[in-house]
Structures are given as C-alpha cells and as structure tokens.
C-alpha cells in the first residue's frame, strides 16, 4: 500500500446527512466511483454495483467513508489525483434489497 497525503476534501466537501435536503431518507454515507453505479464494499474493499446482493456499502460516518476511500486510493492509485471517488449520501431499499444512489450516478466531468 502506498501512503498518500490527501486533502480533507479529496472525496468531496464534508457534509452531515441532517443538513442535506434529500428526496429519500439516507441510511448513511457511501463511496461512489464516479461515472458508475458502483459503491465501495465495506467487507472486501472492492467496488460492486448497487444491485449486487453482496454489497455492504453504507458507512455510519463521513470519517469512516473517508478512511475506506483513502485506503482504496493507497492500494489502487499510483497517482492519487486520479482516483475518481466521491463520498455520497446513500439509502437502502428493503423491498428491492439493494442500495440506492440518492443523487444517481455522479459524473466525473461537468
């Protein structure tokens, strides 16, 4: 693992779920790979699609999501500026038994 020094906003601005006006109640924080519907799985440290039954992609805090994203960058990104990750609010649909990207698929480029 390469040790990178990343700024506090490396994965987006810090936020608290209570402060966001969201259309759906969030279950927690998730680490999304930009331009995909994939979230970082807490158990394996890999990215899985939101429809994957094996995905455990909800983190209890921004700090926990940041730590997991930071570790992933250290393991997979020789150039940390090219990581393409964002911490996002996420939900879980118990009826469909899958994670929900409240903001949808975020794009890396505007």
């Amino acid at each position: 693992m390469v040790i990178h020094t990343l700024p506090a906003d490396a994965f987006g601005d810090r936020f608290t779920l209570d402060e966001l006006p969201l259309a759906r109640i969030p279950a927690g924080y998730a680490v999304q790979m930009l331009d995909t519907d994939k979230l970082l799985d807490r158990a394996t440290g890999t990215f899985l699609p939101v429809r994957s039954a094996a995905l455990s992609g909800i983190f209890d805090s921004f700090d926990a999501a940041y730590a997991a994203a930071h570790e992933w960058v250290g393991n997979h990104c020789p150039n940390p500026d090219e990581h393409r990750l964002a911490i996002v609010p996420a939900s879980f649909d118990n009826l469909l038994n899958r994670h929900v990207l409240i903001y949808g698929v975020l794009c890396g480029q505007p």
Side-chain angles (χ1 to χ4, degrees), residues 24 50-54 91-101:
R24 184 183 283 260
V50 293
R51 289 177 175 82
S52 172
S91 187
F92 189 84
D93 187 315
N94 289 312
L95 184 62
L96 298 174
N97 197 36
R98 71 176 188 89
H99 292 72
V100 175
L101 297 170

Side-chain angles (χ1 to χ4, degrees), residues 51-66:
R51 289 177 175 82
S52 172
L55 177 62
S56 176
I58 304 290
F59 294 87
D60 292 333
S61 69
F62 188 95
D63 290 334
Y66 184 96

Side-chain angles (χ1 to χ4, degrees), residues 29-79:
Y29 301 84
V31 179
Q32 181 179 4
M33 182 174 285
L34 298 175
D35 299 310
T36 74
D37 71 343
K38 294 181 179 181
L39 298 178
L40 185 61
D41 181 57
R42 293 179 317 156
T44 64
T46 61
F47 280 88
L48 299 174
V50 293
R51 289 177 175 82
S52 172
L55 177 62
S56 176
I58 304 290
F59 294 87
D60 292 333
S61 69
F62 188 95
D63 290 334
Y66 184 96
H70 189 278
E71 182 176 346
W72 189 89
V73 168
N75 289 330
H76 297 93
C77 297
N79 182 352

